[in-house]
């Protein structure tokens, strides 16, 4: 009967978001069990307290009751032993639920996660790195997580799952999605409506923008198709488009592309401009400078910006992608002749491939 | 401790029994809010014990950090502690124990109102404290010379920013070797780099200097910078005793370095890894943990050991200095002859404090110097 | 003590002042007589000035950060990054100032300093000089935080960075490695300030423990003490045992940031989770530093205004000690998601639940005390009832967070924010303001306007619940804490929360103005306006320099039948029976034994 009361709909309720993982039902059961226990005790205390206030309120002129010392071992035991039993029950059930979250199934699909101020990247077994988590429905997924700078924490409310991402060690979490979610918006050229991912450990200026989403593909096959598709971009888009995509994954929280101020310098008209650095030196923002700034950001700090803000992307963004980012920056700069921008995906240049290639 | 337990047992005892026995309004040392000198004394002593409890917990935090790192990285502690000179440590232990004894005797002298004896004993205690600090200073100086200060002044720190001392041959040698270790700890393959260069000895020395100049987290890739010719030659010359291209890690291991060349004793006396390795080999000890045996990622943790060492001994040193100030204060007071059977609380309390300082050292010495 | 043999010398003055009008306030004149005073009462008042100023600062930060959150997107500043930075600095300063400068010292340093010696029937605390020293140490620590604030303001206006950095954007928890290697803010001045404040806290703790052990008058055994003293005693234990660990932790953090010593920074071989262990080993017990004396205040208030002997005295007293000791064993529940081993999580979860039991004991005993009472809903009692409401919600929501599986979901969300605000603000602030109103007549010899005070109490209650209850709902839906911006689904939660915060702010301003008005032209307060039987009410209002002309006669502190009400002007006076009992030397009722 208790289970009947506490069985909640899978959709969002007043208290809890939608349930979308295998552990969510147990967490919600626990939550509502505690909630009703708390309602009981809270209203018990409230009714007694307000009842006594009303009933025993002093009225002017009335004679006070005598006030002997009150003590009752029986009463003390009454509000010591039953609460002890109740919390022991809650503790046991909470521990059981936690162990389900803590013990990772051996056959889980593994995805590497890197947390960095202020973005997430997810690396798949084939080496593909994306900024949004794509997983198949009904498949246990294990995340092996590391941070390149400070502590972050990956939180998916609908999965009831959360784990800190600590630099210097790998933390692991797992979940198995029970609901498919998210679709590809062809107009915006991006995935939308996934389950939100939050960073829940404070990590600096744009902590509140360290957001991402989980796209749950309905079947393993669809997930594999997506992964195959995501692994190759050279036949689908121009380098500057790929650069824009990478910008959205890694750079958007610190660098603007419209000239507005942010943690780091804006990219608008940056390529080819003269840069002055905090050590007094100067140079032109050419390809080498941009590559160096991505891989060794602390070597040259643009005057007016604090040191130590940007991390190296060495090992996260490969050379091809750095090239794509440079193309994107060229496309944003008035110092670069825009007619020189490539118009086709690299793989389609020089007529190497045209027939039978997947359309963008 | 007894004062606490009596108080817990029956709080009223402490001042109840003395009531009426003293004309307390005439006692110049009795504060207005106490009824009897006994109550005042008990209160003072209790307060001191409670304060010493907080002191213990303060050091407890450091002991805890020590325990965690030693448990997680015993090999690092095994290796790093060999830089410490256990003989100086032992001498300091004796010095502090003797000063604790003179302090305890001083309390007795104060109780008996023996002004002259009290002053002599307090001066002796002060000398003990000063001696301890001098010896500590000698040890610190050696650490400074070997670039083992905590933080960025420690050559094992990947962000090492300390001074280079090319004028002192063996020191530079040691530092160069160790800083190479720091660079290697970043996980870059110097062996490969230098092998290609074909001039291993010189290249290693370069790497060492380069690593110090390199900005953080960019490691060896940007590190090699052209050294000044003079420096180049000097370092190369110093490194010469070692012959032939070797695997850099073991080459720059201070132990093997010491085994190869007597000039490379990093730490004076037998406390140094070099000397230790030799002497342990001579004494047939079990294989000593060598720097090369440390996993690459643990090498940077040698810095952690010295951080803990300096935080612990430094905090303890601050306590010694504070204790010396307190002793000087009661020495001045005691010289006026105000201490006697009816009033010796300050001497007693300072004595308690001094014993605590002593006690903490008794724990620090084996934990830091005598790791096995 | 000679008073015991000649009790007739002592009679409670009917009117507030001593015959010659001398009290501790006019005992000596001039600013130096305050700055170098050893009188615990004056030290308490100086603490009050400083702590209330800190509360004002922390409250201002709270208003600013709630204003930033009133709508989605940047609100206070047009530029996004600047708005986020401002918010991050605001919440960090709000947390740090409120925790280190307000909630930890508020009840012990103000009310405790003033009331503890008086409830002991003593002339002062055990170590008056240490007491004064702790005040100045507090002021020095507060100066560091002012420096932090100033460095932030200067940087915002002129772009100049003062030595150490600017502002504070690490959160009050100073988590490494963000605080040690990333943050550009004044981490060293701020942690240095917290380090110094720790010593102020330790000195107060040492003083209170020694006072309670050795200054109790003849006839007052451990279980004859007012429960406020039990609360202070339990708090002092935590202060002296936990604070040094914080001190060493912050020292390591400072060394880490200044020198890069590599204890906590993984890039240097350190362990950031070790920092969390150290930090919470102090900071979880610190929660009980805040709440235990508050519980003591509530015990006094509930009993006095219900005209009932406190129910279950020994259980309340022991539960304070139990909470203090258990509080040392539960720090790991702040790190359920940090990656510590599952077994550690299980152990900490179990011990955490055990804290619920003594808390429940206290609440039920307070409520039972009201049974068959003669309840007067004067302002302190309104705060007392408000406290029970707040503490019930704050405590019960703690059960969600102790349950491992639920905590994984709730951890670091607004559910946690709401939970600890219900405990640390709702409960502690209600007890503090309630206690201030309760002892205000004793401290200043003036009565405040009862109607205004009651209105402010009700307004504060409404504002608080509006602000924080809705945060439970936002949190359980996944709203992470310390977010300068939020998804659209949380817009209405934040909007109403901010409105509630404004109501809270308004009510606190009313509380303050009411006190100031009372100081300026309040009615003269009688010695015992509420009919309490603890010893401080047996002195004049305000008390004389030495607290008591003669040592008062100790009785059961909750034997309220010894007092009868005369009039608003004269307050409560001893009954003829009580006077006769004093004269006959049989005054000690000893009902507790």
């Amino acid at each position: 009967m208790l289970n009947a009361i506490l069985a909640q709909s899978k959709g969002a309720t007043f208290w809890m978001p939608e349930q979308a993982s295998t552990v969510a039902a147990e967490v919600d059961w626990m939550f509502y069990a505690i909630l009703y226990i708390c309602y009981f005790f809270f209203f018990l205390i409230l009714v007694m307290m307000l009842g006594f206030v009303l009933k025993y309120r002093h009225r002017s002129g009335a004679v006070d009751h005598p006030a002997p010392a009150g003590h009752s071992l029986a009463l003390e035991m009454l509000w010591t032993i039953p609460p002890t039993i109740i919390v022991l029950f809650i503790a046991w059930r909470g521990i059981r639920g936690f162990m389900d979250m803590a013990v990772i199934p051996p056959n889980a699909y593994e995805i590497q996660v890197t947390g960095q101020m202020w973005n997430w990247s997810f690396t798949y077994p084939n080496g593909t790195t994306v900024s949004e988590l794509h997983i198949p429905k009904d498949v246990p997924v294990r995340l092996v997580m590391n941070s390149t700078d400070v502590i972050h924490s990956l939180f998916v409310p609908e999965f009831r799952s959360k784990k800190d991402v600590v630099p210097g060690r790998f933390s692991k979490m797992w979940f198995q999605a029970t609901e498919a979610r998210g679709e590809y918006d062809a107009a915006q050229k991006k995935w939308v409506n996934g389950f939100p991912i939050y960073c829940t450990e404070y990590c600096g200026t744009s902590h509140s923008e360290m957001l991402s989403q989980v796209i749950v593909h309905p079947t393993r096959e669809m997930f594999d198709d997506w992964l195959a598709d995501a692994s190759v971009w050279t036949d689908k888009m121009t380098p500057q488009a790929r650069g824009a995509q990478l910008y959205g994954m890694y750079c958007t929280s610190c660098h603007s592309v419209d000239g507005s101020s942010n943690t780091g310098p804006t990219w608008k008209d940056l390529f080819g401009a003269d840069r002055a650095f905090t050590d007094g030196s100067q140079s032109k923002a050419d390809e080498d400078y941009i590559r160096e700034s991505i891989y060794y950001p602390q070597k040259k700090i643009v005057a007016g910006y604090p040191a130590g803000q940007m991390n190296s992307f060495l090992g996260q963004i490969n050379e091809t992608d750095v090239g794509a980012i440079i193309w994107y920056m060229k496309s944003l700069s008035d110092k670069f002749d825009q007619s020189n921008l490539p118009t086709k995906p690299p793989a389609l240049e020089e007529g190497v491939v045209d027939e039978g290639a997947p359309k963008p | 401790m007894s004062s606490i337990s009596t108080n817990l047992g029956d709080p009223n005892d402490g001042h109840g029994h003395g009531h009426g026995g003293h004309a307390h309004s005439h006692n110049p040392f009795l504060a207005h809010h106490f009824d009897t000198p006994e109550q005042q004394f008990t209160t003072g002593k209790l307060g001191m014990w409670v304060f010493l409890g907080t002191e213990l917990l303060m050091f407890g935090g450091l002991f805890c950090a020590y325990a965690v790192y030693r448990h997680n990285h015993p090999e690092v502690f095994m290796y790093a502690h060999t830089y410490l000179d256990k003989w100086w440590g032992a001498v300091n232990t004796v010095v502090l124990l003797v000063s604790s004894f003179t302090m305890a005797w001083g309390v007795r002298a104060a109780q008996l109102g023996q002004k002259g004896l009290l002053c002599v004993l307090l001066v002796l205690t002060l000398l003990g404290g000063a001696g301890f600090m001098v010896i500590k200073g000698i040890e610190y100086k050696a650490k400074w010379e070997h670039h083992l200060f905590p933080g960025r002044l420690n050559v094992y720190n990947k962000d090492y920013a300390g001074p280079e001392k090319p004028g002192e041959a063996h020191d530079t040698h040691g530092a160069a070797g160790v800083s190479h270790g720091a660079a290697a700890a970043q996980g870059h393959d110097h062996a490969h780099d230098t092998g290609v260069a074909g001039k291993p000895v010189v290249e290693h020395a370069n790497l060492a200097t380069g690593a110090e100049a390199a900005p953080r987290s960019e490691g060896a890739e940007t590190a090699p910078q052209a050294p000044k010719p003079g420096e180049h030659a000097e370092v190369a010359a110093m490194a010469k005793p070692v012959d032939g291209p070797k695997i850099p890690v073991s080459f720059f291991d201070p132990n093997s370095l010491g085994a190869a060349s007597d000039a490379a004793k990093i730490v004076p006396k037998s406390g140094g890894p070099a000397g230790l390795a030799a002497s342990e080999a001579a004494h047939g000890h079990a294989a000593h943990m060598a720097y090369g045996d440390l996993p690459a990622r643990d090498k940077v943790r040698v810095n952690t050991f010295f951080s803990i060492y300096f935080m612990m001994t430094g905090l303890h040193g601050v306590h010694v200095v504070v204790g010396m100030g307190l002793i000087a204060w009661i020495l001045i007071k005691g010289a006026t002859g105000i201490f006697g059977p009816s009033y010796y609380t300050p001497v007693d309390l300072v004595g308690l404090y001094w014993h605590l300082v002593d006690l903490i050292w008794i724990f620090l010495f084996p934990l830091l110097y005598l790791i096995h | 003590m000679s008073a015991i043999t000649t009790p007739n010398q002592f009679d409670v003055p009917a009117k507030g002042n001593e015959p010659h009008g001398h009290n501790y306030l006019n005992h000596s004149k001039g600013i130096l007589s305050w700055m170098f005073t050893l009188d615990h009462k004056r030290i308490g008042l100086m603490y009050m000035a400083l702590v209330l100023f800190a509360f004002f600062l922390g409250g201002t930060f709270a208003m600013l950060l709630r204003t930033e959150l009133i709508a989605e997107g940047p609100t206070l500043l047009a530029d996004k990054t600047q708005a986020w930075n401002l918010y991050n600095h605001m919440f960090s300063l709000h947390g740090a100032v409120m925790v280190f400068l307000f909630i930890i010292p508020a009840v012990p340093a103000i009310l405790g300093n003033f009331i503890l010696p008086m409830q002991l029937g003593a002339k002062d605390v055990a170590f008056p000089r240490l007491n004064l020293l702790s005040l100045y140490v507090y002021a020095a620590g507060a100066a560091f935080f002012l420096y932090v604030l100033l460095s932030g303001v200067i940087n915002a206006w002129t772009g100049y960075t003062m030595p150490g950095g600017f502002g504070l954007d690490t959160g009050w928890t100073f988590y490494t490695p963000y605080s040690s290697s990333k943050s550009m803010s004044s981490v060293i001045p701020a942690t240095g300030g917290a380090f110094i404040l720790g010593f102020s806290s330790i000195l107060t703790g040492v003083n209170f423990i020694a006072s309670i052990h050795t200054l109790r008058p003849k006839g007052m055994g451990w279980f004859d003490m007012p429960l406020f003293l039990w609360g202070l005693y339990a708090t002092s234990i935590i202060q002296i045992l936990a604070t040094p660990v914080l001190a060493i932790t912050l020292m390591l953090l400072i060394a880490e940031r200044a020198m890069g010593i590599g204890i906590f920074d993984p890039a240097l071989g350190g362990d950031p989770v070790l920092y969390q262990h150290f930090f919470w080993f102090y900071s979880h017990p610190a929660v009980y530093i805040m709440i235990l004396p508050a519980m003591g205040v509530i015990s006094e208030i509930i009993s006095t205004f219900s005209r009932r002997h406190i129910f279950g005295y020994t259980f309340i007293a022991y539960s304070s000690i139990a909470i203090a000791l258990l509080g040392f064993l539960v720090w790991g529940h702040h790190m359920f998601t940090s990656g510590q081993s599952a077994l550690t999580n299980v152990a900490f979860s179990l011990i955490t639940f055990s804290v619920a039991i003594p808390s429940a004991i206290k609440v039920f005993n307070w409520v039972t005390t009201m049974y068959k009472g003669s309840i007067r809903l004067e302002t302190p009692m309104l705060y007392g009832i408000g406290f029970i409401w707040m503490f019930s919600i704050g405590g019960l929501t703690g059960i969600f967070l102790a349950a491992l599986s639920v905590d994984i979901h709730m951890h670091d969300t607004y559910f946690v924010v709401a939970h600890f605000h219900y405990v640390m603000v709702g409960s502690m602030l209600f007890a503090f303001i309630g206690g201030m109103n309760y002892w205000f007549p004793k401290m200043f010899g003036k009565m405040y306007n009862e109607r205004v005070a009651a209105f402010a109490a009700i307004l504060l209650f409404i504002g608080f619940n509006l602000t924080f209850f809705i945060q439970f709902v936002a949190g359980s839906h996944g709203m992470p804490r310390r977010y300068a911006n939020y998804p659209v689904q949380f817009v209405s939660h934040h909007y109403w929360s901010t409105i509630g915060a404004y109501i809270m702010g308004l009510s606190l301003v009313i509380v303050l103005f009411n006190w100031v008005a009372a100081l300026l032209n309040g009615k003269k307060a009688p010695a015992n306006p509420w009919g309490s039987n603890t010893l401080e009410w047996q002195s004049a209002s305000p008390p004389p320099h030495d607290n008591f002309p003669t040592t008062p006669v100790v009785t059961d502190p909750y034997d309220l039948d010894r007092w009868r009400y005369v009039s608003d002007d004269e307050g409560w006076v001893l009954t003829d029976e009580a006077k006769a009992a004093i004269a006959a030397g049989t005054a000690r009722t000893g009902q507790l034994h």
Side-chain angles (χ1 to χ4, degrees), chain C residues 45-62:
Chain C
L45 290 200
M46 289 192 284
Y47 255 122
M48 183 192 295
L50 294 177
V51 170
L52 288 183
F53 176 68
F55 183 51
F56 167 76
L57 278 184
T60 309
F61 299 140

Side-chain angles (χ1 to χ4, degrees), chain A residues 174-246:
Chain A
W174 81 279
F175 40 71
Q176 179 174 338
T178 55
E179 300 289 322
R181 189 59 47 92
E183 59 260 12
Y184 188 74
D185 184 333
Q188 295 186 65
K189 290 187 181 167
K190 62 180 187 183
W191 289 85
V192 293
N193 293 335
F195 295 119
I197 292 176
Y198 300 112
C199 172
T200 46
E201 187 65 67
Y202 174 69
C203 56
T205 305
S206 297
H207 168 54
S208 58
E209 303 204 338
M210 192 167 164
L211 308 172
S212 186
Q213 59 178 344
V214 190
I215 306 295
V216 184
H217 294 267
T219 64
R220 179 67 193 255
E221 288 69 33
M222 292 171 82
F223 167 76
D224 287 338
D225 287 348
W226 165 83
L227 182 59
D229 199 42
S231 305
V232 184
W233 63 270
T234 50
D235 58 358
K236 283 197 284 291
M237 57 181 88
T238 59
Q240 63 268 34
R242 170 63 178 169
Q245 195 182 35
L246 290 161

Side-chain angles (χ1 to χ4, degrees), chain C residues 203-221:
Chain C
L203 291 176
T204 304
V206 169
N207 227 331
F208 284 2
I209 287 188
S211 302
I212 290 173
H213 269 274
T214 61
L215 293 184
R216 272 175 292 121
K218 200 168 173 62
M220 186 187 280

Side-chain angles (χ1 to χ4, degrees), chain B residues 11 39 43 69 151-152 157 301 307, chain C residues 214 216 258-261 263 269:
Chain B
Q39 186 191 18
T43 308
Y69 283 109
R152 283 181 280 276
N157 192 315
R301 295 186 207 275
S307 296
Chain C
T214 61
R216 272 175 292 121
M259 305 191 289
I261 61 167
I263 303 270

Side-chain angles (χ1 to χ4, degrees), chain C residues 247-538:
Chain C
I248 198 71
T249 308
L250 295 180
M251 210 171 85
L252 288 170
L253 178 57
I254 290 171
E256 178 104 25
R257 192 171 163 87
M259 305 191 289
I261 61 167
I263 303 270
F264 299 133
D265 186 349
L268 299 171
D271 183 355
V273 179
L274 182 69
Y275 173 83
Q276 297 178 21
H277 277 289
F278 276 0
F279 182 82
W280 289 113
F281 181 81
Y282 164 77
S283 292
H284 192 78
V287 173
Y288 300 115
I289 293 181
M290 306 156 195
I291 199 68
L292 283 167
M295 290 166 159
V297 171
I298 293 307
S299 300
E300 306 294 323
I301 288 176
I302 296 284
S303 165
T304 299
F305 292 90
S306 302
R307 305 300 312 151
R308 289 288 287 180
H309 192 286
I310 193 81
F311 190 86
Y313 172 94
T314 41
F315 273 77
I316 297 183
Y318 276 127
S319 63
S320 289
I321 303 296
I323 290 174
L325 297 181
L326 287 172
F328 279 102
L329 306 173
V330 300
W331 78 88
H333 68 218
H334 292 268
M335 296 149 64
F336 281 161
T337 66
S338 74
Q340 64 187 2
S341 76
L343 185 67
T344 318
N345 279 356
V346 167
F348 278 120
S349 171
L350 276 171
I351 305 170
T352 301
F353 276 110
S354 67
V355 181
I357 305 305
S359 306
I361 288 173
K362 279 177 183 283
V363 171
F364 282 115
N365 276 310
W366 290 325
V367 173
T368 312
T369 301
M370 293 162 72
Y371 174 68
K372 279 197 173 177
S374 176
I375 298 167
R376 287 155 168 81
L377 289 179
E378 283 164 286
T379 307
M381 187 61 173
L382 291 180
Y383 282 106
I385 291 170
F387 175 94
I388 294 179
W389 167 290
M390 301 289 184
F391 185 70
S392 300
I393 294 181
L396 288 169
T397 50
I399 295 177
F400 293 91
L401 299 173
L404 267 175
S405 58
V406 181
D407 179 77
I408 297 298
H409 177 63
M410 298 297 185
H411 197 87
D412 275 339
T413 66
Y414 264 64
F415 194 91
V416 176
V417 175
H419 158 70
F420 73 72
H421 276 89
Y422 261 93
V423 180
M424 285 160 50
V425 186
S427 310
M428 181 273 160
L429 184 64
F430 267 62
F432 172 66
I433 300 181
M436 283 288 292
N437 280 321
Y438 177 60
W439 280 301
F440 190 91
K442 181 55 60 187
M443 289 173 159
F444 299 106
K446 300 279 179 68
M447 294 300 287
Y448 50 83
N449 185 314
E450 173 64 27
R451 281 165 178 272
V452 176
F455 171 73
I458 293 165
L459 199 61
L460 182 61
F461 181 81
I462 294 169
F464 181 89
N465 283 291
L466 181 56
T467 310
F468 290 106
F469 194 80
I470 203 157
Q471 293 187 0
F472 284 122
V473 185
S476 66
H477 277 278
M479 172 72 213
R481 64 190 289 204
R482 296 176 168 183
Y483 262 31
N485 195 19
Y486 44 84
V488 280
Q489 67 179 112
F490 298 114
V491 165
S492 62
H493 299 92
H494 282 287
Y495 176 78
W496 286 108
S497 187
T498 303
I499 299 296
Y502 291 158
I503 296 175
M504 267 181 87
L506 175 69
S507 59
L508 288 169
V509 169
I510 298 173
V511 168
L512 191 65
F513 269 93
N514 197 32
W515 288 342
V516 173
L519 283 182
L520 295 178
N521 51 11
K523 229 171 39 163
K524 195 174 275 183
N528 192 352
W530 317 120
S532 313
N533 192 40
T534 43
L535 294 183
E536 76 273 24
W537 302 105
Q538 308 197 12

Side-chain angles (χ1 to χ4, degrees), chain B residues 36-122:
Chain B
T36 63
E38 283 82 0
Q39 186 191 18
Q40 185 172 3
F41 177 71
T42 313
T43 308
K45 201 144 178 168
L46 174 68
M48 195 66 196
W49 273 110
V50 172
F51 177 71
L52 295 186
T54 70
E55 290 279 16
L56 273 182
L57 276 146
M58 186 152 161
F59 278 96
L62 283 174
F63 282 118
C64 212
Y66 173 93
V68 167
Y69 283 109
R70 180 161 175 191
H71 175 262
N72 289 345
H73 310 286
E75 70 288 351
V76 175
F77 275 57
M78 271 308 282
Y79 168 75
H81 98 280
T82 54
Y83 281 103
L84 303 181
D85 188 330
K86 63 182 171 193
W87 295 111
W88 274 133
V91 169
N92 249 352
T93 309
V94 173
V95 168
L96 217 48
L97 276 175
V98 170
S99 79
S100 218
F101 169 71
T102 53
M103 186 71 226
W105 195 359
V107 174
R108 181 76 188 143
Q111 282 172 345
L112 299 176
Q114 296 159 322
K115 186 178 108 181
L117 182 61
L118 171 66
C119 289
V120 169
L121 289 167
L122 288 182

